[in-house]
Amino acid sequence: MNTLLIIDGLNLVRRLHAAQPNEDDVTGLAQRVGNACLKLINLHQPTHVTLVWDGDAISWRKRLYEEYKKGRKPMPEALAKHLSELKNHLMSLGINSINADSEADDVIATLATKMAQNHKAIIVSTDKGFTQLQHPNIHLWDYFNQQALTLAEQERKLGVDRSQFIDYLALAGDTGNKVPGVPGIGPKSAVELLKTFRTLANIYNSLDKIGARQAKKLEEGRQMARLSYKLVQLQTDMPLDTHLASYRVKNRQQP
Protein backbone atom coordinates (compact mmCIF):
# COMPACT_ATOMS: atom_id res chain seq x y z
CA MET A 1 0.00 0.00 0.00
CA ASN A 2 1.30 3.46 -0.93
CA THR A 3 1.20 6.30 1.59
CA LEU A 4 0.93 9.94 0.49
CA LEU A 5 2.08 12.55 3.01
CA ILE A 6 0.13 15.74 2.23
CA ILE A 7 1.53 18.84 3.93
CA ASP A 8 -0.64 21.95 4.22
CA GLY A 9 2.06 24.32 2.97
CA LEU A 10 1.13 27.70 4.41
CA ASN A 11 -0.23 26.14 7.59
CA LEU A 12 3.28 24.82 8.25
CA VAL A 13 5.31 27.73 6.90
CA ARG A 14 3.41 30.61 8.47
CA ARG A 15 3.68 29.04 11.91
CA LEU A 16 7.40 28.39 11.49
CA HIS A 17 7.87 31.96 10.29
CA ALA A 18 5.76 33.39 13.14
CA ALA A 19 8.37 32.09 15.60
CA GLN A 20 10.71 34.78 14.28
CA PRO A 21 10.64 38.02 16.30
CA ASN A 22 10.98 40.05 13.09
CA GLU A 23 8.46 39.17 10.38
CA ASP A 24 10.75 40.69 7.73
CA ASP A 25 13.48 38.20 8.55
CA VAL A 26 13.29 35.09 6.37
CA THR A 27 16.89 34.07 6.93
CA GLY A 28 17.13 30.30 7.13
CA LEU A 29 13.38 29.79 6.73
CA ALA A 30 13.72 27.56 3.66
CA GLN A 31 16.16 25.35 5.56
CA ARG A 32 13.83 25.16 8.58
CA VAL A 33 10.89 24.21 6.38
CA GLY A 34 13.00 21.64 4.54
CA ASN A 35 14.17 20.13 7.83
CA ALA A 36 10.57 19.97 9.09
CA CYS A 37 9.53 18.10 5.94
CA LEU A 38 12.44 15.67 6.23
CA LYS A 39 11.51 15.00 9.87
CA LEU A 40 7.94 14.25 8.78
CA ILE A 41 9.16 11.90 6.06
CA ASN A 42 11.46 10.05 8.48
CA LEU A 43 8.68 9.79 11.07
CA HIS A 44 5.85 8.62 8.81
CA GLN A 45 7.88 6.77 6.15
CA PRO A 46 5.57 7.68 3.24
CA THR A 47 6.10 6.42 -0.28
CA HIS A 48 5.06 9.84 -1.65
CA VAL A 49 5.05 13.42 -0.33
CA THR A 50 3.82 16.83 -1.47
CA LEU A 51 3.10 20.28 -0.09
CA VAL A 52 -0.10 21.97 -1.21
CA TRP A 53 -0.11 25.77 -1.34
CA ASP A 54 -2.92 28.32 -1.37
CA GLY A 55 -3.29 30.36 -4.56
CA ASP A 56 -4.24 33.98 -5.14
CA ALA A 57 -7.61 33.46 -6.85
CA ILE A 58 -10.80 34.35 -4.97
CA SER A 59 -12.20 31.13 -3.54
CA TRP A 60 -15.75 29.92 -4.16
CA ARG A 61 -16.38 30.39 -0.42
CA LYS A 62 -15.41 34.06 -0.60
CA ARG A 63 -17.67 34.54 -3.62
CA LEU A 64 -20.50 32.86 -1.73
CA TYR A 65 -19.95 34.86 1.46
CA GLU A 66 -17.84 38.01 1.31
CA GLU A 67 -17.12 37.99 5.06
CA TYR A 68 -15.47 34.56 4.89
CA LYS A 69 -12.02 34.74 6.57
CA LYS A 70 -12.33 38.52 6.69
CA GLY A 71 -9.95 40.21 9.11
CA ARG A 72 -7.26 37.53 8.97
CA LYS A 73 -3.76 38.92 9.20
CA PRO A 74 -2.28 39.09 5.69
CA MET A 75 0.87 37.20 4.87
CA PRO A 76 4.00 39.26 5.66
CA GLU A 77 5.38 40.72 2.44
CA ALA A 78 8.84 39.31 3.05
CA LEU A 79 7.40 35.80 3.39
CA ALA A 80 5.27 36.15 0.24
CA LYS A 81 8.37 37.16 -1.75
CA HIS A 82 10.33 34.24 -0.29
CA LEU A 83 7.87 31.47 -1.21
CA SER A 84 9.29 30.73 -4.66
CA GLU A 85 12.81 30.37 -3.22
CA LEU A 86 11.40 28.15 -0.49
CA LYS A 87 9.63 25.90 -3.01
CA ASN A 88 12.83 25.64 -5.08
CA HIS A 89 14.72 24.54 -1.98
CA LEU A 90 12.13 21.84 -1.34
CA MET A 91 12.46 20.68 -4.96
CA SER A 92 16.21 20.35 -4.42
CA LEU A 93 15.35 17.93 -1.59
CA GLY A 94 13.10 15.95 -3.94
CA ILE A 95 9.87 17.35 -2.48
CA ASN A 96 7.51 18.72 -5.13
CA SER A 97 4.60 21.07 -4.57
CA ILE A 98 1.03 21.46 -5.79
CA ASN A 99 -0.28 25.00 -6.20
CA ALA A 100 -4.02 25.40 -5.69
CA ASP A 101 -5.86 28.12 -7.59
CA SER A 102 -7.30 29.49 -4.35
CA GLU A 103 -7.67 27.58 -1.07
CA ALA A 104 -5.46 24.55 -0.52
CA ASP A 105 -8.07 22.84 1.70
CA ASP A 106 -10.21 21.44 -1.11
CA VAL A 107 -7.20 20.22 -3.09
CA ILE A 108 -5.86 18.49 0.03
CA ALA A 109 -9.28 16.94 0.70
CA THR A 110 -9.52 15.72 -2.90
CA LEU A 111 -6.02 14.24 -2.87
CA ALA A 112 -6.64 12.45 0.42
CA THR A 113 -10.03 11.11 -0.64
CA LYS A 114 -8.73 9.77 -3.95
CA MET A 115 -5.71 8.23 -2.25
CA ALA A 116 -7.83 6.58 0.45
CA GLN A 117 -9.73 4.51 -2.10
CA ASN A 118 -6.84 2.05 -2.35
CA HIS A 119 -4.00 3.53 -0.35
CA LYS A 120 -3.28 5.72 2.70
CA ALA A 121 -3.11 9.49 3.13
CA ILE A 122 -1.60 11.48 6.02
CA ILE A 123 -2.56 15.17 6.17
CA VAL A 124 -0.16 17.40 8.10
CA SER A 125 -2.08 20.45 9.32
CA THR A 126 -3.45 22.06 12.46
CA ASP A 127 -6.75 22.72 10.66
CA LYS A 128 -9.44 20.79 12.55
CA GLY A 129 -11.73 21.04 9.50
CA PHE A 130 -10.00 18.02 8.01
CA THR A 131 -11.64 15.83 10.69
CA GLN A 132 -14.71 15.71 8.44
CA LEU A 133 -12.70 13.38 6.14
CA GLN A 134 -13.72 10.29 8.07
CA HIS A 135 -12.17 7.48 6.07
CA PRO A 136 -10.06 4.82 7.86
CA ASN A 137 -7.24 5.39 5.36
CA ILE A 138 -7.03 9.15 6.06
CA HIS A 139 -4.96 10.23 9.06
CA LEU A 140 -4.27 13.72 10.45
CA TRP A 141 -1.03 14.87 12.07
CA ASP A 142 -0.23 18.06 13.98
CA TYR A 143 3.47 18.83 13.40
CA PHE A 144 3.69 21.43 16.14
CA ASN A 145 2.21 19.29 18.91
CA GLN A 146 3.72 16.12 17.45
CA GLN A 147 0.50 14.17 17.75
CA ALA A 148 -2.33 12.76 15.71
CA LEU A 149 -5.58 14.71 15.38
CA THR A 150 -8.20 12.08 16.12
CA LEU A 151 -11.95 11.98 15.65
CA ALA A 152 -12.35 10.98 19.29
CA GLU A 153 -10.43 14.09 20.40
CA GLN A 154 -12.62 16.32 18.23
CA GLU A 155 -15.74 14.65 19.60
CA ARG A 156 -14.60 15.43 23.14
CA LYS A 157 -13.72 19.00 22.25
CA LEU A 158 -17.00 19.85 20.50
CA GLY A 159 -19.28 17.62 22.56
CA VAL A 160 -20.95 16.05 19.53
CA ASP A 161 -20.65 12.82 17.55
CA ARG A 162 -18.28 12.73 14.56
CA SER A 163 -21.26 12.43 12.21
CA GLN A 164 -22.45 15.82 13.51
CA PHE A 165 -19.31 17.93 12.98
CA ILE A 166 -20.62 19.84 9.94
CA ASP A 167 -24.11 20.27 11.43
CA TYR A 168 -22.52 21.65 14.59
CA LEU A 169 -20.53 24.27 12.65
CA ALA A 170 -23.60 25.19 10.61
CA LEU A 171 -25.33 26.07 13.88
CA ALA A 172 -22.51 27.45 16.04
CA GLY A 173 -20.34 28.89 13.28
CA ASP A 174 -16.56 29.02 13.11
CA THR A 175 -15.09 32.26 14.44
CA GLY A 176 -11.61 31.54 13.05
CA ASN A 177 -12.91 31.48 9.48
CA LYS A 178 -15.74 33.99 10.06
CA VAL A 179 -18.39 31.36 9.29
CA PRO A 180 -21.53 32.93 10.79
CA GLY A 181 -23.65 30.01 11.99
CA VAL A 182 -27.12 30.88 13.32
CA PRO A 183 -27.18 34.22 15.20
CA GLY A 184 -27.99 33.60 18.86
CA ILE A 185 -27.15 29.87 18.71
CA GLY A 186 -23.78 29.33 20.38
CA PRO A 187 -21.75 26.15 20.94
CA LYS A 188 -23.70 25.07 24.04
CA SER A 189 -27.09 25.44 22.34
CA ALA A 190 -25.81 23.70 19.21
CA VAL A 191 -24.66 20.70 21.28
CA GLU A 192 -27.99 20.49 23.14
CA LEU A 193 -30.00 20.69 19.93
CA LEU A 194 -27.93 18.00 18.22
CA LYS A 195 -28.13 15.70 21.24
CA THR A 196 -31.91 15.93 21.07
CA PHE A 197 -32.58 15.99 17.32
CA ARG A 198 -29.34 14.44 15.95
CA THR A 199 -29.16 16.36 12.64
CA LEU A 200 -29.57 19.89 11.30
CA ALA A 201 -32.42 18.71 9.07
CA ASN A 202 -34.25 17.17 12.03
CA ILE A 203 -33.86 20.39 14.02
CA TYR A 204 -35.51 22.42 11.28
CA ASN A 205 -38.24 19.82 10.88
CA SER A 206 -38.95 20.02 14.61
CA LEU A 207 -39.19 23.75 15.33
CA ASP A 208 -42.65 23.20 16.82
CA LYS A 209 -41.01 20.99 19.51
CA ILE A 210 -38.45 23.67 20.48
CA GLY A 211 -39.02 26.60 22.84
CA ALA A 212 -40.52 29.63 21.10
CA ARG A 213 -37.56 31.92 21.69
CA GLN A 214 -34.99 29.47 20.35
CA ALA A 215 -37.26 28.36 17.51
CA LYS A 216 -37.53 32.01 16.43
CA LYS A 217 -33.74 32.33 16.29
CA LEU A 218 -33.48 29.16 14.25
CA GLU A 219 -36.18 30.23 11.82
CA GLU A 220 -34.68 33.67 11.34
CA GLY A 221 -31.23 32.10 10.87
CA ARG A 222 -32.31 29.33 8.50
CA GLN A 223 -30.51 30.83 5.50
CA MET A 224 -27.36 31.43 7.55
CA ALA A 225 -27.41 27.79 8.65
CA ARG A 226 -27.61 26.65 5.03
CA LEU A 227 -24.85 29.06 4.02
CA SER A 228 -22.60 27.99 6.90
CA TYR A 229 -23.14 24.32 6.09
CA LYS A 230 -21.86 24.96 2.56
CA LEU A 231 -18.91 27.07 3.72
CA VAL A 232 -17.49 24.49 6.14
CA GLN A 233 -17.90 21.48 3.88
CA LEU A 234 -14.74 20.38 2.10
CA GLN A 235 -14.91 19.67 -1.62
CA THR A 236 -13.46 16.27 -2.50
CA ASP A 237 -13.90 16.32 -6.27
CA MET A 238 -11.58 19.11 -7.40
CA PRO A 239 -9.98 18.58 -10.83
CA LEU A 240 -6.35 17.57 -10.35
CA ASP A 241 -3.95 17.68 -13.27
CA THR A 242 -1.21 15.71 -11.58
CA HIS A 243 0.19 12.21 -11.19
CA LEU A 244 1.20 10.36 -8.04
CA ALA A 245 4.55 9.38 -9.57
CA SER A 246 5.66 13.04 -9.40
CA TYR A 247 5.67 12.89 -5.60
CA ARG A 248 7.52 9.65 -4.91
CA VAL A 249 10.05 9.80 -2.07
CA LYS A 250 13.37 9.00 -3.73
CA ASN A 251 16.14 9.76 -1.25
CA ARG A 252 15.43 9.65 2.46
CA GLN A 253 17.65 12.28 4.03
CA GLN A 254 18.25 13.15 7.65
CA PRO A 255 17.38 16.73 8.63
Side-chain angles (χ1 to χ4, degrees):
M1 178 184 287
N2 289 320
T3 298
L4 175 61
L5 184 70
I6 309 168
I7 302 172
D8 187 348
L10 285 181
N11 182 274
L12 176 70
V13 170
R14 292 198 66 169
R15 281 163 176 76
L16 288 174
H17 180 62
Q20 291 288 102
N22 180 1
E23 70 174 21
D24 293 326
D25 183 9
V26 293
T27 306
L29 178 62
Q31 286 72 28
R32 292 200 305 278
V33 173
N35 286 344
C37 292
L38 292 176
K39 286 177 183 177
L40 285 163
I41 290 169
N42 288 325
L43 175 65
H44 295 288
Q45 295 292 302
T47 55
H48 301 76
V49 60
T50 186
L51 283 88
V52 183
W53 303 90
D54 294 276
D56 296 326
I58 297 173
S59 74
W60 65 267
R61 292 182 179 88
K62 190 75 172 175
R63 289 195 297 269
L64 187 63
Y65 183 59
E66 191 175 349
E67 298 295 306
Y68 180 70
K69 290 189 176 180
K70 188 174 182 179
R72 277 197 171 186
K73 185 179 179 181
M75 187 189 308
E77 185 178 351
L79 176 56
K81 290 180 177 178
H82 190 60
L83 285 182
S84 55
E85 181 181 331
L86 193 156
K87 292 176 187 178
N88 287 336
H89 176 68
L90 292 172
M91 284 180 63
S92 75
L93 298 176
I95 303 171
N96 292 328
S97 295
I98 297 174
N99 298 307
D101 290 333
S102 55
E103 291 182 283
D105 296 4
D106 293 327
V107 174
I108 291 172
T110 299
L111 276 171
T113 301
K114 289 183 179 295
M115 196 70 186
Q117 293 174 11
N118 298 297
H119 301 285
K120 178 180 174 182
I122 302 171
I123 299 173
V124 179
S125 179
T126 60
D127 187 343
K128 305 298 192 297
F130 289 119
T131 55
Q132 68 185 263
L133 301 175
Q134 297 170 18
H135 191 286
N137 288 342
I138 297 177
H139 305 268
L140 310 179
W141 182 260
D142 180 340
Y143 173 80
F144 297 96
N145 288 315
Q146 288 294 299
Q147 63 183 21
L149 297 175
T150 66
L151 296 178
E153 177 193 357
Q154 188 73 338
E155 285 177 327
R156 287 193 297 271
K157 181 179 178 181
L158 298 182
V160 297
D161 185 79
R162 61 195 65 184
S163 64
Q164 300 171 313
F165 288 169
I166 297 176
D167 289 0
Y168 169 86
L169 292 172
L171 287 166
D174 178 1
T175 55
N177 289 322
K178 293 293 190 293
V179 174
V182 176
I185 302 294
K188 185 177 179 181
S189 295
V191 170
E192 290 173 351
L193 286 164
L194 288 169
K195 280 184 177 178
T196 302
F197 299 102
R198 301 302 301 166
T199 69
L200 187 66
N202 285 347
I203 290 168
Y204 275 100
N205 288 330
S206 308
L207 292 183
D208 59 331
K209 299 180 178 66
I210 298 172
R213 187 176 177 183
Q214 194 171 57
K216 185 173 185 288
K217 291 177 183 177
L218 288 163
E219 183 56 53
E220 290 176 348
R222 187 187 290 261
Q223 292 305 318
M224 279 301 189
R226 288 174 176 167
L227 172 68
S228 299
Y229 190 93
K230 291 178 182 177
L231 290 173
V232 299
Q233 196 164 24
L234 290 169
Q235 302 298 305
T236 58
D237 57 356
M238 300 291 288
L240 298 175
D241 185 19
T242 190
H243 300 283
L244 186 62
S246 302
Y247 309 105
R248 180 170 289 282
V249 176
K250 297 175 182 176
N251 300 310
R252 298 185 184 275
Q253 306 175 41
Q254 291 296 324

